[in-house]
Amino acid sequence: MGPHPAVAAIRLAVRRVLNDVLTEFHRHDGPGRPAEEARRTAPASRYAEAGTAGTLSLPDRPAAPLVLVACSGGADSMALASALAFEARKLDVRAGGITVDHNLQPGSGLRAAEVVTRLAAMDLDPVEAVAVHVGRGGGPEAAARDARYAALDAAAERHGAAAVLLGHTRDDQAETVLLGLARGSGIRSLCGMAAASGPAGRYRRPFLQLDRQTARKACLVQSIPVWDDPHNIDPAYTRSRLRHEGLPALEKALGKGVVEALARTAQLSRDDADALDTWAAEAELAVRDETGRLECAKLYVLPPAVRRRVLRRAVIEAGAPAGSLFARHLEEVDRLITGWRGQGAINLPGRVEARRQGGRLVIRQS
């Protein structure tokens, strides 16, 4: 008799991601990889002693890639950890785990230690808890997220991990799309979370096509203990209110299937946004003169969605922080192209200014 359907579903999702990681690893770190790099990343057990004591010979092939799971102890990440442990044993993959202690609740250090113990019991190696300090920038949720990803980035670099698995589910994706919709910042905000993101696609999200209940059921049938973070039901947090009040209200008004529809919207929006970004990158080459300045007449004839992407790229290249650049900024710059009435320079974040001069758009730091 095979595994429970929920267990089979999470294992299949993880297996697909691990196969992708293996393919990419052998493409970039195959036989042509420098010997010193191979020695650095290969585990000691893969070396064979040479004739001289203390001398090690290089393995016949590169070391297996290391894949880490980011685990909070909740149902989603514990289900992910169990699936990684199971699938890694069948593939040429090393599996480890990282838990981040945000120090936001009493006893958080003890809970982090418990997660480490549970991950080690699954034969994951290495496993570690990393304590972080959460600042105040951007609100509590954004600050915690920034601290968490900084810790995960550092852990991945420290251990030489090929990938870090995250337990975000289809429900998380639906919440992210609704939060993006509320911000009203364009199609990118509706794209939700990518299946692969971060430096060189470091972060992988195998569960984006699975609902939260599947992960919880997989833990239940495998008798895996889980921890339910009280912050997830605290109405002080926007995502918590959306999860427990907003989405249920939408499903009551519109019927079941809202979560699936929002997740599908995310994928369709991502496909459209990627296509527009590619178009904009190509168009940018055609709207610059021989000195590299943007020509207003050529920008004017571009579709608005493409033109504003070109402008955004140019403003960021000039020094404006991407996170501080909003739709209203780009609308003002766009009016220098489409509604020119002799207006002066537009002041932008990062001390960047944009002005129209001699039929050209000049964007530079002041």
Side-chain angles (χ1 to χ4, degrees):
M1 183 176 178
H4 186 279
V7 176
I10 65 170
R11 288 177 179 175
L12 176 60
V14 168
R15 188 185 316 143
R16 287 171 173 164
V17 169
L18 293 184
N19 281 327
D20 290 343
V21 171
L22 278 169
T23 298
E24 294 164 15
F25 177 79
H26 290 301
R27 181 185 301 132
H28 296 108
D29 295 313
R33 188 173 57 158
E36 200 55 45
E37 172 67 7
R39 286 190 181 93
R40 185 178 66 81
T41 58
S45 61
R46 300 290 293 274
Y47 289 102
E49 282 196 19
T52 306
T55 302
L56 300 177
S57 64
L58 189 66
D60 291 335
R61 57 194 177 93
L66 172 65
V67 176
L68 299 174
V69 58
C71 188
S72 67
D76 301 341
S77 59
M78 289 303 293
L80 182 59
S82 71
L84 172 61
F86 181 85
E87 293 297 332
R89 286 192 290 267
K90 304 188 327 184
L91 298 170
D92 190 20
V93 172
R94 294 178 291 137
I98 302 292
T99 187
V100 178
D101 175 11
H102 297 84
N103 284 304
L104 294 177
Q105 302 172 33
S108 64
L110 288 175
R111 280 190 293 274
E114 290 174 1
V115 172
V116 166
T117 299
R118 291 170 186 170
L119 295 178
M122 294 178 181
D123 292 329
L124 297 182
D125 182 32
V127 294
E128 67 173 330
V130 180
V132 298
H133 170 72
V134 177
R136 298 180 178 274
E141 292 167 285
R145 182 175 61 249
D146 290 345
R148 180 168 59 255
Y149 276 102
L152 292 175
D153 278 334
E157 295 292 338
R158 186 166 60 252
H159 294 290
V164 178
L165 305 189
L166 304 176
H168 297 122
T169 65
R170 187 170 62 193
D171 301 81
D172 296 307
Q173 185 75 300
E175 294 162 8
T176 302
V177 172
L178 284 176
L179 290 170
L181 182 63
R183 287 193 297 268
S185 52
I187 192 172
R188 260 307 160 196
S189 67
L190 302 182
C191 293
M193 296 172 285
S197 64
R202 166 180 291 159
Y203 295 107
R204 308 296 175 104
R205 298 176 175 86
F207 290 174
L208 286 184
Q209 301 302 317
L210 301 177
D211 62 28
R212 192 172 287 139
Q213 286 305 312
T214 297
R216 185 168 289 274
K217 185 67 174 178
C219 289
L220 179 64
V221 299
Q222 295 178 100
S223 299
I224 297 174
V226 300
W227 172 65
D228 290 315
D229 186 347
H231 281 176
N232 289 337
I233 58 172
D234 187 343
Y237 295 95
T238 305
R239 186 177 286 268
S240 176
R241 294 195 303 273
L242 180 59
R243 180 175 301 176
H244 298 287
E245 300 172 24
L247 269 173
L250 280 175
E251 290 199 331
K252 183 177 179 180
L254 303 176
K256 295 293 183 182
V258 170
V259 168
E260 293 87 340
L262 287 169
R264 188 164 56 250
T265 295
Q267 185 56 59
L268 293 173
S269 297
R270 183 170 297 280
D271 291 343
D272 289 350
D274 288 346
L276 286 169
D277 285 348
T278 301
W279 187 355
E282 295 171 351
E284 184 176 2
L285 300 175
V287 298
R288 291 187 181 273
D289 63 16
E290 62 278 1
T291 66
R293 292 183 300 173
L294 294 167
E295 297 187 63
C296 295
K298 292 180 178 179
L299 283 167
Y300 183 85
V301 299
L302 290 176
V306 177
R307 182 174 60 247
R308 286 173 183 168
R309 278 169 166 77
V310 172
L311 296 177
R312 185 177 190 275
R313 287 164 58 98
V315 170
I316 291 173
E317 286 175 4
S324 302
L325 193 61
F326 302 126
R328 58 185 172 82
H329 295 128
L330 294 179
E331 288 169 3
E332 289 297 317
V333 178
D334 196 44
R335 273 194 279 272
L336 295 176
I337 308 299
T338 63
W340 173 241
R341 298 291 185 274
Q343 58 264 47
I346 305 298
N347 294 317
L348 301 165
R351 295 186 298 106
V352 172
E353 69 171 26
R355 68 170 63 247
R356 182 163 173 158
Q357 193 173 57
R360 304 291 191 272
L361 190 65
V362 179
I363 303 174
R364 62 191 176 196
Q365 280 189 318
S366 59

